[in-house]
Amino acid sequence: MLSSLRRGLGIPRLLLWLLLLAAWRAGSAQLRYSVPEEAQHGTFVGRLAQDLGLPLAELVPRLFRVASRAGGDLLEVNVQNGILFVNARMDREALCGRSAECSVHLEVVVERPLQVFHVEVEVRDVNDNPPVFPATRKNLFISEARALDSHFSLEGASDADVGSNAQLTYRLSSSEVFSLEVQTNDDGSQSLFLVLGKSLDREETAEINLLLVATDGGKPELTGTVEIHIKVLDVNDNEPTFTQSVYKVQLLENTAEGTLVVKLNASDADEGTNSEILYSISGDAPSITQTRFKIDPSTGEIRTRGKLDYEETKSYNIQIIAFDKGTPPMSGHCKISVKVVDVNDNTPEISITSLSLPIREDAPVGTVVALITVSDRDSGANGQVSCALTPDVPFRLLSTFRNYYSLVLESGLDRELVSGYGVVVTARDAGSPALRASASVWVEVADVNDNAPAFAQAEYTVFVRENNAPGCHLVTVSARDADARENARVSYSLVERRVGERLLSSYVSVHAESGRVHALQPLDREELELLRFEVSARDAGVPALGSNVTLQVFVLDENDHAPWVLPRGAGGPASEAVPVWVSRSAGAGHVVAKVRAVDADAGYNAWLSYELQAAPNANANANGAVAAASGGARLPFRVGLYTGEISTTRSLDEADLARQRLLVLVKDHGEPALTATATVLLSLVDGGQAAAASSSRAGAATAAAGGAAALLDVNASLIVAICAVSSLLVLTLVVWTALRCWAPAAEGACGPGQPALVCASAVGSWSCSQRRRQRVSGGEGAPKADLMAFSPSLPQGPDSAEEKPQPSESEYVGKVSLNIFLPILRLLLAYSL
C-alpha cells in the first residue's frame, strides 16, 4: 500500500517517510528513550529539549520542568541544556517485575504558554539477578528397587530478569547413577527430572550427594546451585503416577472461595498400604500459592483458598506430591498450571496534582489549575477510562495524553461573588458492567491585598503605676484586615525612636501576633511621666499594607521616696546635730530654727508634716524630770506641723536645761508613710552670752530675733493670698463644670471618661486625671509640660477597676481642686514664712 501510494502521488520515498514520521509524532506527542537498569547517576538518556524542538535559551524563562513523574525521582532533566539523565538507581525488577516491557512515563511541562509533553523511557534489563532455587538443599528418598530410567521431578530455578537473561540451562555434577533431563513444556516453562541410569544398591551405596547448577543466558553468566541429597530406600519400589504431568486450569479472579480447581487421581502399581496415596502441595511452593489453594490429602481435590486477584498474580504453578503409604513411602509429582482470567472488579483511580492553587481572582482564561491522571488496574476494555466534570463550574478538562488531563480555567472569576468551587472529576471504565469513581478538588479563589489593617481605636490611653513589675501587661492593641488568608494576617511592631538617651524598645515591647504591649522594665515617674509612642500593624500581603496607632502611657506616682532633709543654710539647722544659740529672754512663739525637707514624689506622697520626737538621751530624761518637778510644765519648744519651724511654747526660765536636743520627725502622707529625722541642738544662753556667740551663728540669732516682728506683717499678706486663691478656685470650678456640661456628650453627661489603671501595686491607691504638671515623652526632644492631680479614690489594680465604684462628679472635681490648690497654699505659706 505504501508503494502504491508513492507511485500514485509521485512522492519520493524519503519525503514520504518524513511525512509519516511527522504525522506519527504529532499524533502521539510522545518521545521514547532507552536506558539500561542499574545505570549510574548522571547517565545520559537523551537530548529532551532538542528532540521536543525547544530552544535552549527558552528553557529557564518558560519554567521547563518535569511536572509529574510516574517513576518518582529516577530521572531528571538539566534545565540549562535540556538533557535527560539518570538521577537515581533503577531496578527493573522492582519497577515492572517479570513484565516483558518496562517503561518509566514522564510528563514534561513548559509554561508561558503551557505545553505538556509525554516521554516514555524504556528500562532495559541487565543480567543482575542470578538464578535462585526454592531451597539450597533437596532431599530425595529413592527405593533401590526403582527401575532404570526412572524420573524424579526436581524444582527448577527462577530468575528475576527477563529475556535471554532469564533463559536458564542446567547441569548436574558428575554421577554414574543419575543424569539430568530437561523438558520444555508448551507454555515455555521447563520441567527438571533426575533420571536413574544405573540400578541402585542400598547395601553398596546408601546415600548419594549431587550438585545441580543453573546458569542464565546473560553476559556475564550468573549461576545458582542446589544440593541434592538422595537416600536409597528398600522394598517399596513403585511410586504413584499421575495421568498427566501438567494440568492446565483457568479461573476467573472473582471465583468464590472453596471452588474446586481440579481433582487428582494418581495410581500406584503396588498393593495394600503401598498403593494407598496421600496428596500434598510441595513445601517448596511459594507462600502465595499455599495461601490461595488447598488440597484434600485423601481425595486429591484442590480448591481455592482466599480471593484470587488478577492484578496481584496472573498465574500459579502448583507442584503436587503424591505419597504412598509404603515403607518407605514412594512419591510421584505433577504440576497444576492455573491461569487467572481478569474481570472488571477494579474501579478507576484518579490522581489530582495541584499546580496553581489557590487561583487568583484575576487569573486569565486558560490558566492550568491542576493535572489529573486516571488509571484502572484491570486490562483490556475493563481498563479503558473516560473522564467528565461536574456542570456549572468555570473549568473544563483538556486531554493532553492517554489518561492524562489538565484542568483549565474556562471563564473569569470573582472572589467577592464565589470564594471557591468544588470540582468533581468522574472517571468511568468500559467494562460490563461499567465501574466509576470520582475525586473532588476544592479550587479556592485567592484574594488580592487591597485592604490595610485598621485599629479598633484611634488612640490608646493607658495608666500604669511606677515601679511596675518587669514584663507587666500594659494594653492589647487590635487591628483587623478585611482581606483573606495571608493578606489578613496582621503582625504588630513598635515604631522605633529615641526616648531621651535610650531607645523606645528598651522601655516597652509588643507581641508580634497578639498585639499585647508589655513594659520591659520598672517605670520611674520621677524620670518619665508620659511615654507616647506608635505601634505599627502590617499584613502579610505582597506588597504589605500597614497603619499606625498612637499609645499614651501615663506613669502614676507611688510613695517610693522618703523625705529628705535639706542641708542647713544660714540661720537654719541641718540634718546633723549643730548647736543653735537661743537667748533665755525669748518669749512664747519665738522662732528659733526651721527644718526644711523635700520629697521627690508628688501629691499626697510629697505633702510633708513635722513633729517632735522624744530624744533618746540623758538630757531628755532630765527635762522630763524637771517638768515633773515643776508640776507638769509644758516643754519649752514645738515644731510647726507643716512649716517645720521650731518655736518656743512659753518663756524660758532658769529651770530649763542649758542644752536641748530636739529630734524632728519628717513624715509624708503616702500609704504607708515614709519618714526622715533631723536632730537640732539648742544652747540656752543669757542675752549677753548670745551676743558674744560665734560669728558663724550671728545671722541665725538675728533672724530669730526679728522673726516675731515680721510674723505680724506676713499674716495680713497671707490672709489676702488665701482669699485670692479661694476665689480663683471657685471661679475655675464654675467655668470647668460649664464647659464639661456644654461639650458634646461623647463620654457621658458632664463627666470625664475613667481611664484604665494598670500595674497598680498595694502601696497606694492614687488615680490620675489629666491636670498635673509632669514630664512627658511624646517624641524626640525635651519633655513637655502638662498638669496632673492625684485623688485617693481609684482601686488598687486592674482587677479591681471593674469591681469598685468610680467616684462621683462632685467628688472627682473636689479632689482635683484640692490637689491643684494645696501645693499653691503650701508655697504661699513657705514663701511668707
Side-chain angles (χ1 to χ4, degrees):
M1 182 182 68
L2 187 62
S3 60
S4 63
L5 177 62
R6 182 174 58 85
R7 288 194 302 269
L9 298 178
I11 301 176
R13 176 177 298 178
L14 178 59
L15 180 58
L16 180 60
W17 280 109
L18 292 176
L19 290 175
L20 291 177
L21 178 61
W24 175 82
R25 293 194 60 180
S28 63
Q30 180 177 0
L31 294 178
R32 287 183 60 88
Y33 296 102
S34 177
V35 64
E37 69 172 331
E38 306 293 340
Q40 295 182 355
H41 172 75
T43 300
F44 174 84
V45 177
R47 302 184 181 277
L48 184 58
Q50 178 178 339
D51 295 339
L52 293 176
L54 299 174
L56 297 181
E58 295 181 3
L59 297 183
V60 174
R62 294 186 62 187
L63 302 179
F64 178 76
R65 70 188 188 280
V66 177
S68 63
R69 310 178 182 191
D73 58 350
L74 300 178
L75 298 169
E76 188 59 76
V77 62
N78 189 325
V79 297
Q80 303 296 330
N81 54 26
I83 293 178
L84 185 66
F85 61 90
V86 176
N87 188 48
R89 172 183 173 270
M90 290 184 290
D91 187 354
R92 186 185 184 281
E93 289 70 30
L95 290 175
C96 305
R98 298 298 304 276
S99 177
E101 296 182 0
C102 184
S103 300
V104 175
H105 297 275
L106 303 179
E107 186 168 305
V108 179
V109 177
V110 182
E111 297 185 357
R112 303 173 185 172
L114 178 66
Q115 290 180 279
V116 180
F117 303 93
H118 298 275
V119 179
E120 183 176 353
V121 180
E122 179 188 3
V123 182
R124 300 195 306 272
D125 183 57
V126 297
N127 192 28
D128 59 341
N129 290 283
V132 177
F133 285 91
T136 59
R137 181 182 176 90
K138 176 72 175 179
N139 295 320
L140 294 178
F141 300 90
I142 302 177
S143 173
E144 63 177 349
R146 292 298 294 267
L148 295 176
D149 202 34
S150 295
H151 287 62
F152 305 94
S153 178
L154 298 177
E155 291 289 331
S158 62
D159 196 317
D161 297 321
V162 296
S164 60
N165 295 330
Q167 294 179 359
L168 304 180
T169 58
Y170 299 88
R171 70 174 185 274
L172 189 66
S173 61
S174 177
S175 174
E176 297 179 356
V177 180
F178 292 95
S179 62
L180 181 66
E181 181 179 330
V182 180
Q183 296 180 1
T184 303
N185 302 317
D186 297 339
D187 57 355
S189 62
Q190 293 179 329
S191 297
L192 304 182
F193 297 95
L194 199 61
V195 181
L196 182 61
K198 182 180 178 181
S199 299
L200 297 175
D201 187 359
R202 190 188 63 82
E203 287 72 22
E204 179 181 353
T205 305
E207 295 181 353
I208 300 175
N209 292 317
L210 301 175
L211 183 65
L212 178 61
V213 180
T215 305
D216 61 22
K219 293 183 180 180
E221 299 177 343
L222 299 177
T223 61
T225 60
V226 59
E227 295 181 6
I228 302 175
H229 179 71
I230 301 172
K231 184 175 183 180
V232 182
L233 304 178
D234 202 12
V235 182
N236 190 20
D237 57 348
N238 288 290
E239 62 181 7
T241 58
F242 293 91
T243 57
Q244 300 178 33
S245 60
V246 178
Y247 296 84
K248 296 182 179 179
V249 181
Q250 288 188 350
L251 293 175
L252 295 176
E253 64 173 333
N254 61 351
T255 298
E257 183 177 357
T259 300
L260 178 64
V261 179
V262 66
K263 182 176 181 179
L264 301 177
N265 188 15
S267 61
D268 195 315
D270 295 328
E271 295 180 353
T273 58
N274 292 334
S275 63
E276 296 177 3
I277 300 175
L278 297 175
Y279 303 88
S280 66
I281 297 176
S282 173
D284 297 333
S287 59
I288 189 171
T289 301
Q290 298 181 10
T291 57
R292 293 292 182 269
F293 301 92
K294 61 183 178 179
I295 188 171
D296 190 318
S298 301
T299 63
E301 291 182 351
I302 300 177
R303 297 183 179 273
T304 59
R305 173 192 293 174
K307 182 180 178 181
L308 301 180
D309 189 356
Y310 173 85
E311 288 70 33
E312 180 183 16
T313 305
K314 296 177 175 57
S315 63
Y316 298 88
N317 290 319
I318 310 173
Q319 292 288 343
I320 303 298
I321 303 176
F323 293 92
D324 61 23
K325 294 184 178 180
T327 304
M330 303 296 291
S331 63
H333 302 78
C334 73
K335 179 187 294 185
I336 310 298
S337 178
V338 180
K339 181 179 180 181
V340 182
V341 180
D342 181 54
V343 295
N344 191 25
D345 62 340
N346 290 280
T347 58
E349 297 177 356
I350 304 174
S351 174
I352 299 178
T353 304
S354 299
L355 288 182
S356 54
L357 291 180
I359 183 171
R360 291 172 60 93
E361 61 178 337
D362 57 353
V365 175
T367 300
V368 177
V369 178
L371 296 180
I372 301 174
T373 305
V374 295
S375 61
D376 195 313
R377 297 179 61 194
D378 295 322
S379 60
N382 297 331
Q384 296 177 4
V385 182
S386 60
C387 286
L389 275 184
T390 53
D392 301 328
V393 292
F395 305 97
R396 64 186 177 93
L397 284 177
L398 179 63
S399 178
T400 58
F401 189 66
R402 182 184 58 202
N403 293 341
Y404 290 89
Y405 299 87
S406 295
L407 182 65
V408 298
L409 182 63
E410 190 175 35
S411 60
L413 302 174
D414 189 355
R415 193 196 74 87
E416 284 67 29
L417 294 179
V418 182
S419 61
Y421 297 88
V423 180
V424 179
V425 181
T426 303
R428 176 179 176 178
D429 62 25
S432 180
L435 300 178
R436 66 185 63 197
S438 61
S440 62
V441 58
W442 177 256
V443 180
E444 182 180 358
V445 181
D447 190 26
V448 294
N449 189 26
D450 57 349
N451 290 282
F455 284 92
Q457 298 179 214
E459 186 177 85
Y460 290 83
T461 300
V462 183
F463 297 90
V464 58
R465 290 190 178 280
E466 67 175 337
N467 304 320
N468 56 282
C472 78
H473 174 236
L474 297 179
V475 69
T476 299
V477 297
S478 176
R480 294 187 178 276
D481 196 312
D483 294 325
R485 295 183 178 86
E486 293 297 318
N487 295 334
R489 184 164 58 86
V490 179
S491 60
Y492 304 88
S493 63
L494 287 176
V495 179
E496 186 66 275
R497 65 177 183 81
R498 300 194 68 85
V499 180
E501 298 295 328
R502 302 168 63 179
L503 292 176
L504 173 65
S505 57
S506 65
Y507 287 96
V508 293
S509 69
V510 59
H511 193 272
E513 295 180 3
S514 65
R516 291 173 61 88
V517 181
H518 296 269
L520 298 180
Q521 63 181 11
L523 299 177
D524 189 358
R525 188 203 62 83
E526 287 71 29
E527 175 187 347
L528 182 67
E529 294 182 6
L530 172 61
L531 181 60
R532 184 182 179 93
F533 59 94
E534 289 185 339
V535 172
S536 174
R538 296 182 67 84
D539 59 28
V542 178
L545 301 178
S547 60
N548 294 350
V549 69
T550 301
L551 279 77
Q552 295 187 99
V553 178
F554 290 89
V555 183
L556 305 183
D557 185 61
E558 288 281 319
N559 190 28
D560 58 345
H561 290 85
W564 178 60
V565 179
L566 294 175
R568 180 174 62 87
S575 58
E576 65 274 6
V578 177
V580 176
W581 301 93
V582 180
S583 174
R584 290 184 181 271
S585 62
H590 178 72
V591 177
V592 298
K594 184 173 183 177
V595 177
R596 289 186 174 88
V598 295
D599 196 319
D601 294 320
Y604 277 94
N605 296 330
W607 186 15
L608 303 181
S609 61
Y610 305 82
E611 61 184 55
L612 283 178
Q613 295 280 62
N617 53 27
N619 291 337
N621 296 333
N623 283 335
V626 172
S630 62
R634 292 185 302 162
L635 292 176
F637 298 99
R638 67 178 178 184
V639 63
L641 179 62
Y642 298 111
T643 62
E645 292 180 344
I646 301 175
S647 60
T648 58
T649 59
R650 55 179 172 80
S651 299
L652 302 177
D653 52 28
E654 295 297 328
D656 294 320
L657 294 177
R659 294 183 62 83
Q660 302 277 346
R661 176 184 294 272
L662 303 181
L663 184 63
V664 179
L665 177 67
V666 184
K667 180 172 64 175
D668 60 26
H669 285 70
E671 294 181 5
L674 301 178
T675 62
T677 57
T679 302
V680 180
L681 295 179
L682 300 179
S683 295
L684 305 184
V685 297
D686 296 331
Q689 294 176 346
S694 175
S695 60
S696 62
R697 302 297 187 268
T702 303
L711 184 59
L712 296 176
D713 296 334
V714 172
N715 289 336
S717 301
L718 180 60
I719 293 173
V720 174
I722 291 175
C723 293
V725 170
S726 301
S727 301
L728 180 61
L729 170 62
V730 173
L731 179 61
T732 301
L733 293 178
V734 172
V735 173
W736 182 84
T737 305
L739 291 177
R740 293 294 293 175
C741 290
W742 293 342
E747 300 174 347
C750 304
Q754 295 299 327
L757 178 63
V758 296
C759 300
S761 66
V763 176
S765 59
W766 301 101
S767 64
C768 176
S769 71
Q770 299 177 356
R771 292 290 184 268
R772 203 191 71 80
R773 190 183 67 82
Q774 57 180 343
R775 288 185 295 278
V776 181
S777 175
E780 300 291 338
K784 301 177 182 179
D786 200 352
L787 290 178
M788 181 178 292
F790 290 84
S791 173
S793 62
L794 284 186
Q796 297 296 327
D799 295 335
S800 61
E802 297 179 359
E803 298 174 2
K804 297 184 179 180
Q806 299 296 333
S808 65
E809 179 65 20
S810 59
E811 293 175 341
Y812 187 87
V813 172
K815 293 171 182 176
V816 169
S817 303
L818 176 62
N819 285 279
I820 290 176
F821 293 98
L822 184 60
I824 298 176
L825 294 175
R826 290 178 53 207
L827 291 175
L828 290 175
L829 289 172
Y831 178 79
S832 61
L833 296 179

